[in-house]
Every structure is written in C-alpha cells, then in structure tokens.
Amino acid sequence: MRRTLVTLSLSVTSATSLLAQEHAAATGESVNLLDPKAGLMFWTLIIFVVLLVVLSKFAYKPLLSAVEAREAALEKAISEAKADRDAASKLLAEQQKQLAETRADVQKVLADGRAAAESMRSEMLEKVKAEGADMLDRTRREMQAEKEKAVAELRREAVDLAISGASKVIGRNLDSATDRSLVESFLSGLDAPKGTR
Amino acid sequence: MTTRLLRFLTAVSALLIFALPARAQGVEQVDIITPHITDSHEIEIPWPTWPTLHKVIELPRWHPFTLPVIGEVDMSPTKHVIWMLIAAFTVGALLIFAANAQGRQTRAVGHSKGFAGGIEAMVLYIRNEVIIPNVGHHGNGFVPFLLTLFFFILFCNLWGIFPWGSTATGNVSVTATLAIITFFVVEAAGVRAQGLGYLNTIFYWNKDLNIVLRVLLFLILSPIEFIGKLTKPFALTIRLFANMTAGHIVVLALIGMIFAFKSIASGAPFLMAVAINMLELFVAFLQAFIFTLLSSVFIGQIREAHH
C-alpha cells in the first residue's frame, strides 16, 4: 500500500512539472541559457551572504561548539580513564610486590622458627637425657650406700644374734671384746668363700 | 504479486489522468522544457484547480537602475530569486532548529538524536572529511562558508525536484555568483596564508633558473597561471549549472515522450522519468558535495602553493 502511494506521488511529481509549464510556453523568443543577469547575481550574493551570516551565528556556532564541548568531555574522560588505569596498574604492581615480599618474609620466619624449634628440641632432649642419666647414677649410688648400710646392719645384728645364741648354749655371758672379734672373723671367713664362688 | 499489479495499475491510471488534459488541448506543439529551466517573472504555486493544479502569480517589476561598469541592473524578483529565498529560509530554519535541538539534547543526555543528530552528522562529515583535510591546518575559519555553500546549493537543488519548484542552481547567474564568491574567498585565503608570496601564484619567477630562462618562463607561464585561476570558478559555474539543467531537461523530455506516445508504451518513458528523478535526487546531493569539495581543494591548494 505504501509503495503504491509512493508510485502515485512519483507519477504526480513527474507530471505536475509538465502541467505547470504548459501555459508559459507561448513566448517564442529564443533563450540564451548562458546569459548572466546582473539582478539575479546581486540577489544571489545578498541571499548567500545573509544566509552565511545567519547560519554561522545561529546554527554552526552552537552546533559545532556543542560538538567540540562533547569531544573535549570525551577526551577528558578517556585521558582520565587512562590515568586511572595507569594508577591502578601501578598500585597493583606495588601490591603484588608487597605481597611477594610478605610471602618471602613469612617463609623466612617459618624457616627460622622451624630451625629454632629443632635446635631447642634437640637441646632439651640432650638435657633431659643428661638429667635422666644423672638421676640414674645418683639413685644407683644411693642404693649402693643403702645396701652397704643394710649389710653392715645385718652383720651387726647377726653378730649379736650369734653371740646371744652361743651364750645360751654355753650358759654364760659372752660379751667380751674377744668373743665379738671371734664371731666377726668367722663371718668375714664366710664372706671370703662366698666372694670367690 | 498483487502489490506489484496494484502499483502498475496506479502508474498507468496516473498516466492516463495526467495525459487527459494534453489530449484535450489537441496537437499544438508547446515548448515545455525552456520555460521550466529558465527564469521568469512569474511563479507557479500549488492551487486546487483541476486539472492544472497550479496558479500563476505575477511577480512585481521594478525599475532597472544603472551601475557603473556593470550597466543596467534589474533587481525585480524573479522565479529563481523566490526559490533561492525559499531555499535559504528552509535551510536557515532547519539548521537553526537542528542546532537548538542538538544543544538541548546534548545538555539533556550528552548527545543529539533524531533529526538534529542527522544534521549534526552531515555537518560533521562535511567539516571533518571534506573541509579540514582539504583546506589543511587552521581550516576552521572556512568551515561556515563552505557549509553554507553546501547546504544552500543542496536545498536549491532539492527545491528544483519538488513539484511546482524551480532549480535556482540551474541558472548560470546563480552558479556564477556562487563561483565568484568562492573565487574571492580562495584568493583572499591565498593572500592571508602567503602574504606577498601570494604574487607567486600569479607571476612565475623561478629563482633557480638563469635570467634568460627565468624571463622566458615568466612570460609564458604567468598568463597560464592567471587563466588557471579563472578556469576554476568557471568550471564550478558550468558544472553545477549544466548538471542541474541537464537532469531537468532529461526528465522533461521523458515526460514529453509519455504524451507523444499516447499509448500503453508511455509506461516506459514514465518509468525512466521516475528513475531519472531518483538520479536527480542523488545528483542534488552530489553536486552540492562536489562544489563544496572543490572549493575546499582550491582553498587548500592556494594556501599551500609554493612556486
């Protein structure tokens, strides 16, 4: 439908120019198309100059200044974005550097800590071992002393018993120093074969 | 298929309707082309009178006055003056409207849209792709002149395609004036850009040559340089004038053939007339563009000329 209308309007367009001109053809004088008319030239000059002045003042100036303002704004936005991006990348590099440094620090601290712990552990182990050995030694020595004391006690006890038993047997009191030394020599005689055995 | 048929029928019926008055008037031969492409002291306006659809208005005749050198000047308004005024008013109204709308939209949303955006795109294209590259650095001063040239020529051309309209740019006086204005702008640009060096664009004086050759070449080349200056506006004048006139003559001749055939065969010239009218629409833009482009090139040339 629209194209039909277009066709119709085109037909009218083509035909009307013809219809419009039919009447004016009567004048038979020959026409020189290249003959310039001073009046028309002046009119052209006036119209063109006025149009130029009006358009420059009221059309081009606002239009182009708006465009230039927009271009300037765009340029500013772009340069700002670029500056921002540069700053951001610089910041990022800095951050990354710092991160790497921190990581290295952490590694170092960890390694140091591990080494310190290791050395401390071994030190303590040594100390504990030494202490343990020390304690064992002392205990052994004490035990030896106790044993010797007990043996001495036992021997005295045994001498007493033997003397009292013997005095019962022979009916008299054997409490002289000679008796005691006799028993003791006997007991030490007991010790000797025991030691050789 | 039906739409095609419908279109064809519409075209044929339109042909028949518009052929009727011609038939009624009989066989007298009328020159329809010359009045259409020449200036006159009367204009046609749309008027609902069947079947001519127009009314002739006589324009006032003023007394010619005499100027020194130029001679007698008849400033009476003619058909082409009226159409130039109409073109100037439409250009002014559209561009100022577009500039205002563009400013408003730019403030509102940061960019222009719609009609104002289209005009802005045209203006920017002419400025950025045609004027600045050809005129060269600091060419901004020439932008208003060249843009006005473009839009004024474009609208004169377009009003010529409009029914009842007439192509002011198909008149050699109009194109010659535009070309002369361009010529003065070009030469003024040369003087401003080169100062005294501008004389080198007229007088060929090559200091690298010996004196005999220098004088000889000066005598031969200086007239050529000078004629070269004049041929540029002459070429501008004739190119625009001839293009606009030729297109109209072709369209009118084809329309005349419709009535000469008086049969269904009239469809052929009708379709051709439509096609040529389409071409004229393109040529209207093209010639305005070429005039602007060449003016920019001439300005750029003389600003850069180093002989």
Side-chain angles (χ1 to χ4, degrees), chain A residues 44 48-49 51-52 55 60, chain B residues 91 95 126 131 142-157 169 174-175 177-183 185-186 236 240 284-285 287-296 298-299:
Chain A
T44 311
F48 184 82
V49 169
L51 186 67
L52 172 60
L55 284 185
Y60 303 139
Chain B
V91 169
L95 287 193
I126 299 283
I131 300 175
F142 297 95
V143 168
F145 166 70
L146 291 164
L147 278 176
T148 309
L149 208 54
F150 174 77
F151 282 107
F152 181 61
I153 293 173
L154 175 65
F155 273 74
C156 283
N157 294 350
T169 39
V174 175
T175 59
T177 314
L178 293 176
I180 290 167
I181 296 170
T182 307
F183 171 78
V185 169
V186 169
L236 287 178
L240 182 56
F285 282 87
Q287 290 304 322
F289 178 78
I290 286 180
F291 202 108
T292 315
L293 173 68
L294 287 178
S295 303
S296 314
F298 294 155
I299 294 172

Side-chain angles (χ1 to χ4, degrees), chain B residues 39-221:
Chain B
D39 206 359
S40 72
H41 285 283
E42 52 195 25
I43 61 165
E44 293 93 27
I45 58 164
W47 206 258
T49 50
W50 190 258
T52 48
L53 290 173
H54 74 275
K55 185 177 175 184
V56 179
I57 292 180
E58 284 283 333
L59 295 170
R61 300 294 289 262
W62 298 337
H63 265 296
F65 55 91
T66 315
L67 281 180
V69 185
I70 298 166
E72 201 172 71
V73 180
D74 182 6
M75 287 297 279
S76 314
T78 61
K79 184 168 74 176
H80 284 162
V81 172
I82 301 297
W83 282 107
M84 262 196 290
L85 283 170
I86 292 172
F89 272 114
T90 43
V91 169
L94 284 181
L95 287 193
I96 290 169
F97 168 76
N100 284 335
Q102 187 241 22
R104 207 170 48 238
Q105 287 160 357
T106 305
R107 278 190 296 280
V109 291
H111 61 88
S112 52
K113 47 192 177 180
F115 177 75
I119 293 288
E120 186 201 300
M122 267 172 102
V123 168
L124 285 187
Y125 176 77
I126 299 283
R127 186 187 74 151
N128 297 340
E129 307 295 326
V130 178
I131 300 175
I132 300 295
N134 286 308
V135 171
H137 289 301
H138 309 297
N140 277 324
F142 297 95
V143 168
F145 166 70
L146 291 164
L147 278 176
T148 309
L149 208 54
F150 174 77
F151 282 107
F152 181 61
I153 293 173
L154 175 65
F155 273 74
C156 283
N157 294 350
L158 289 177
W159 277 119
I161 302 173
F162 186 74
W164 300 281
S166 182
T167 325
T169 39
N171 189 315
V172 79
S173 310
V174 175
T175 59
T177 314
L178 293 176
I180 290 167
I181 296 170
T182 307
F183 171 78
F184 280 114
V185 169
V186 169
E187 301 308 311
V191 173
R192 230 181 112 187
Q194 306 203 33
L196 269 183
Y198 166 76
L199 291 175
N200 288 329
T201 65
I202 307 173
F203 305 111
Y204 188 84
W205 194 252
N206 193 337
K207 293 196 174 86
D208 296 336
L209 301 170
N210 67 44
I211 194 72
V212 181
L213 265 176
R214 209 188 290 180
V215 170
L216 198 65
L217 279 176
F218 171 75
L219 291 176
I220 298 171
L221 285 177

